Amino acid sequence: MNQVSSNNSKKLKPGQIQGDTGLWEMVIGLEIHAQISSKSKLFSGASATFGAGANTNVSLVDAAMPGMLPVINQYCVEQAVKTGLALNAQINNYSVFDRKNYFYADLPQGYQISQFTKPIVGEGEIIIDLDEGKQTTIGIERLHLEQDAGKSLHDQHPTKTYIDLNRTGVALMEIVSKPDIRSPQEAGLFVKKIRSILRYVGSCDGNMEEGSLRADCNVSVRRAGEEFGTRCEIKNLNSIRFINQAIQSEAERQVEILESGGSINQETRLFDTSTGETRSMRSKEDAHDYRYFPDPDLLPLEFEDSWVKGLKESLPELPDTLRERLVLDYGITPYDAAVLVEEKDYVKFYEKAALGRDGKLTANWMISELFGALKKENLSLLNSPVSPESLGELITLITDGVISGKIAKDIFAEMMISKKKPIEIVKDKGLEQVSDDNEILKLIESVIADNQDKVKQYLSGKDKLFGFFVGQVMKVSQGKANPGIVNKLLKENLK
Amino acid sequence: MSNKKSIVDIQTVNKIARLARLNIPENDKDNLIIDLNNILEFVAQLEEVETSNIEPLASVTGHKLPLRIDEVTDGNIEDLVLQNAPEKSSGFFVVPKVIE
């Protein structure tokens, strides 16, 4: 099946496909559906929380009973505007709600209230970080507000579908990218960046497992420099891994069809996670005839510039500016800074730990030691047994020369288990670094006495043995001797 | 009355009926074609008005869209919500299988 991609795949750049007739490239646009972190729904006062009993979070508005009228949630409007500002996008002070008409069992209204010709947020752009410090800009086409649909359960009964309307009417932001994405990897980075921005703004928790963030991918292929090809839309992908797989396999499918003389049908497709391939979903020709028209139940949404300005001032520091500040304030590398700004919580932790200390060393310890240990234990930073204060104290113990870097690793392992403060562990176990010249001299003398033959060899020109002596002294000190002083004193005494 | 030609034909009636999930008897369709064309012709009179420089009017009252505070004020009425359901089971609506 996949012979198209297997040839020469080593030399291909991400997003390129080697066909029998030449090289193809992918053109990708994403639609991200982000559930707004509101208490109640977009147009009703029913709860928007996840996991309640079937049909308990449903009002008569959500159930589309006759005569019920939608009233918009102000918080949701604020979150859409704040997100738009964070995407460097045009904010539209005048936007309109439209009805998108289609029939489905989990859509009691028979239409979704969405925004079509006049969305609340227009064009913007974000920057994504590629490999080797390269960056690229991805355009944002728009962001609009819309209702989520209910949930259909198909596995409860052999011939029936069970419907739960709890999610019906929950507020979504649909964020649409421009077709600027050129590889599955870039698509994944785009989703990650959007998720990070949403979390900083606080407008969406970004939880892909619970479905608060899902993506539809529009994929087409073309030969380099040619016009865009016909696209297919892959619906409802809820992990970055699936986004990667779905785009790759869909693009390969399209290349196979085009190279064998066929043409692409513009259609909606589903990604089958068990086969790793996409399949056609709705083939009926009128499935996309949504007959949008302005919702007569809702007036246009209007607000003042001054209100937008107030929201702009309330925005927190966003990942891109934060990253620059970390590099400047703490002297860390742009790479480390990028890792730390991925999540708001990482930065909070880091700044607490690094305050008044060696920023680089703190970043190293946090990223390699702490993140590594947490990953091993399957813990998140929020549940870290090591607090930022403790990590900071450990850094201070290292930079003050109280303990060596090697001993610090043992202490850190102990901190992960016992939650004790590093200084307590140092005292309990007698792990203070020995920096006293006389004490180290005693150790050196005993090592020299025990290794007379090696001393002779060293003195007769075998310089490499110096490392052996350092190692022996460290060993008899149980790793506690200050390596700098050991070096200095050894040189003076091996004469 | 410049726009006299018929816009709606049998294909259009069939398509609208399918989109609206209406089962229209064959012998009603001819009359529907005539009715729909008459309605469209009537509305087409509006095309005589010059509107190219006029913004669409959303409301004649001058009211603004009212906004509500984000609070949970509704829900927990599943009995009421399910009251008219032809079929239900343990709190769910039950419908014929709909799966792609």
Side-chain angles (χ1 to χ4, degrees):
Chain A
M1 279 300 281
N2 283 338
Q3 81 270 29
V4 162
S5 65
S6 48
N7 311 335
N8 303 334
S9 55
K10 39 206 154 356
K11 286 171 199 158
L12 296 175
K13 285 189 206 150
Q16 288 183 330
I17 294 176
Q18 179 65 54
D20 295 333
T21 60
L23 207 56
W24 297 79
E25 70 169 23
M26 305 179 192
V27 176
I28 302 156
L30 296 187
E31 295 168 20
I32 295 180
H33 297 265
Q35 186 183 319
I36 297 178
S37 58
S38 58
K39 295 191 205 103
S40 62
K41 295 184 179 179
L42 182 55
F43 294 114
S44 90
S47 168
T49 31
F50 175 83
N55 288 306
T56 52
N57 291 345
V58 181
S59 78
L60 297 179
V61 178
D62 310 319
M65 291 298 165
M68 295 297 118
L69 286 173
V71 185
I72 198 166
N73 183 334
Q74 176 170 356
Y75 177 84
C76 296
V77 176
E78 285 171 8
Q79 298 313 305
V81 170
K82 285 171 88 168
T83 307
L85 291 166
L87 299 173
N88 312 300
Q90 162 80 32
I91 305 299
N92 296 326
N93 295 24
Y94 179 96
S95 66
V96 174
F97 288 97
D98 298 284
R99 291 185 179 179
K100 179 181 182 180
N101 299 278
Y102 67 97
F103 275 104
Y104 205 74
D106 56 24
L107 186 80
Q109 288 168 158
Y111 58 84
Q112 176 193 36
I113 305 178
S114 180
Q115 298 190 296
F116 188 49
T117 51
K118 290 190 160 68
I120 184 166
V121 174
E123 292 183 321
E125 60 180 38
I126 61 166
I127 294 166
I128 58 171
D129 292 287
L130 309 171
D131 293 340
E132 295 154 7
K134 274 186 263 171
Q135 295 185 322
T136 190
T137 301
I138 307 289
I140 302 291
E141 176 70 33
R142 59 189 282 157
L143 176 156
H144 66 253
L145 282 165
E146 64 181 28
Q147 297 176 300
D148 206 345
K151 202 171 166 189
S152 299
L153 298 139
H154 302 295
D155 54 1
Q156 305 290 305
H157 191 282
T159 58
K160 305 281 187 181
T161 293
Y162 282 41
I163 309 282
D164 176 9
L165 299 182
N166 280 349
R167 214 176 56 190
T168 306
V170 167
L172 298 179
M173 293 178 284
E174 178 171 327
I175 302 166
V176 183
S177 86
K178 291 193 179 288
D180 289 349
I181 299 166
R182 292 289 173 271
S183 71
Q185 290 76 3
E186 283 184 21
L189 291 168
F190 177 79
V191 174
K192 269 193 183 169
K193 188 63 180 270
I194 293 282
R195 184 174 61 184
S196 163
I197 290 170
L198 293 170
R199 285 178 173 164
Y200 271 81
V201 170
S203 55
C204 169
D205 66 22
N207 190 330
M208 297 189 89
E209 295 80 48
E210 286 182 6
S212 16
L213 195 74
R214 335 188 267 274
D216 300 342
C217 302
N218 287 291
V219 180
S220 65
V221 295
R222 63 172 177 186
R223 294 181 200 276
E226 279 186 359
E227 295 290 300
F228 289 167
T230 305
R231 68 175 191 270
C232 288
E233 181 182 11
I234 315 161
K235 277 275 178 203
N236 246 338
L237 297 162
N238 64 355
S239 83
I240 289 175
R241 190 164 61 93
F242 291 155
I243 290 170
N244 266 298
Q245 290 177 358
I247 293 173
Q248 186 69 37
S249 86
E250 174 58 18
E252 286 171 8
R253 184 188 73 90
Q254 293 183 11
V255 168
E256 272 189 59
I257 291 174
L258 292 170
E259 293 211 320
S260 57
S263 62
I264 306 299
N265 273 334
Q266 184 167 341
E267 61 177 1
T268 309
R269 300 180 66 84
L270 273 182
F271 179 64
D272 188 331
T273 53
S274 56
T275 62
E277 287 172 6
T278 67
R279 60 183 163 86
S280 185
M281 183 179 174
R282 298 175 191 155
S283 42
K284 287 200 192 106
E285 78 282 1
D286 55 28
H288 282 293
D289 200 342
Y290 291 130
R291 291 148 290 141
Y292 281 100
F293 66 91
D295 191 322
D297 287 342
L298 289 159
L299 287 163
L301 173 59
E302 293 176 81
F303 42 77
E304 305 293 323
D305 284 339
S306 56
W307 184 71
V308 177
K309 201 170 158 247
L311 289 175
K312 191 167 193 175
E313 281 158 9
S314 76
L315 278 179
E317 213 174 357
L318 293 166
D320 289 344
T321 45
L322 193 51
R323 178 179 168 189
E324 280 173 35
R325 185 173 68 72
L326 290 183
V327 171
L328 279 176
D329 288 3
Y330 296 93
I332 60 179
T333 63
Y335 176 81
D336 283 353
V339 174
L340 292 174
V341 301
E342 240 172 63
E343 299 280 348
K344 224 172 167 177
D345 297 330
Y346 295 178
V347 182
K348 250 196 204 160
F349 190 107
Y350 173 74
E351 292 210 272
K352 264 190 205 162
L355 190 71
R357 300 193 172 95
D358 184 331
K360 258 187 184 163
L361 192 61
T362 311
N364 283 344
W365 270 83
M366 188 167 156
I367 293 168
S368 46
E369 301 301 324
L370 180 60
F371 283 180
L374 290 174
K375 199 174 175 192
K376 229 173 167 179
E377 303 290 322
N378 226 339
L379 290 171
S380 79
L381 189 63
L382 287 174
N383 308 318
S384 167
V386 175
S387 68
E389 291 79 11
S390 289
L391 183 67
E393 284 169 25
L394 185 68
I395 302 298
T396 304
L397 291 175
I398 302 169
T399 46
D400 286 356
V402 178
I403 52 173
S404 67
K406 191 174 167 298
I407 293 277
K409 288 193 184 181
D410 299 337
I411 294 173
F412 179 80
E414 180 74 28
M415 286 161 69
M416 282 295 294
I417 299 162
S418 69
K419 295 189 185 181
K420 274 191 195 161
K421 294 210 166 272
I423 188 72
E424 286 171 35
I425 298 170
V426 169
K427 282 188 179 150
D428 287 356
K429 304 205 162 181
L431 295 172
E432 285 105 330
Q433 180 159 270
V434 177
S435 299
D436 180 81
D437 281 16
N438 286 329
E439 260 184 72
I440 292 176
L441 213 51
K442 271 185 215 155
L443 299 173
I444 288 176
E445 279 162 6
S446 77
V447 167
I448 290 177
D450 290 349
N451 296 283
Q452 278 302 318
D453 48 335
K454 293 261 175 24
V455 175
K456 272 180 205 150
Q457 291 173 26
Y458 176 77
L459 291 176
S460 64
K462 213 171 170 192
D463 292 347
K464 277 184 192 161
L465 276 171
F466 188 75
F468 164 80
F469 292 109
V470 174
Q472 287 301 305
V473 176
M474 292 308 290
K475 197 175 162 194
V476 294
S477 79
Q478 292 167 305
K480 289 189 282 183
N482 181 323
I485 300 177
V486 171
N487 264 289
K488 188 186 76 158
L489 294 181
L490 260 174
K491 269 184 198 144
E492 291 169 11
N493 285 275
L494 279 171
K495 278 179 185 166
Chain B
M1 288 289 166
S2 57
N3 208 345
K4 262 278 179 188
K5 65 173 188 267
S6 297
I7 310 166
V8 176
D9 56 14
I10 183 73
Q11 279 82 20
T12 316
V13 167
N14 286 336
K15 187 181 177 190
I16 295 169
R18 191 169 62 243
L19 286 171
R21 303 297 192 273
L22 291 175
N23 190 8
I24 297 170
E26 279 307 315
N27 51 14
D28 286 353
K29 287 183 181 169
D30 283 344
N31 278 333
L32 266 175
I33 294 172
I34 295 164
D35 286 350
L36 287 171
N37 277 315
N38 281 340
I39 292 167
L40 288 174
E41 268 170 40
F42 176 71
V43 175
Q45 291 179 73
L46 289 173
E47 287 176 14
E48 292 170 20
V49 184
E50 166 61 41
T51 57
S52 53
N53 287 319
I54 298 172
E55 283 295 310
L57 182 69
S59 160
V60 289
T61 59
H63 288 160
K64 290 268 170 71
L65 180 71
L67 301 150
R68 51 167 242 282
I69 303 290
D70 181 30
E71 280 169 355
V72 177
T73 55
D74 209 340
N76 290 313
I77 48 165
E78 56 273 27
D79 291 344
L80 219 50
V81 165
L82 289 160
Q83 197 179 336
N84 299 322
E87 197 181 343
K88 54 197 156 191
S89 172
S90 44
F92 291 93
F93 290 91
V94 176
V95 301
K97 195 129 203 145
V98 274
I99 193 161
E100 299 270 355

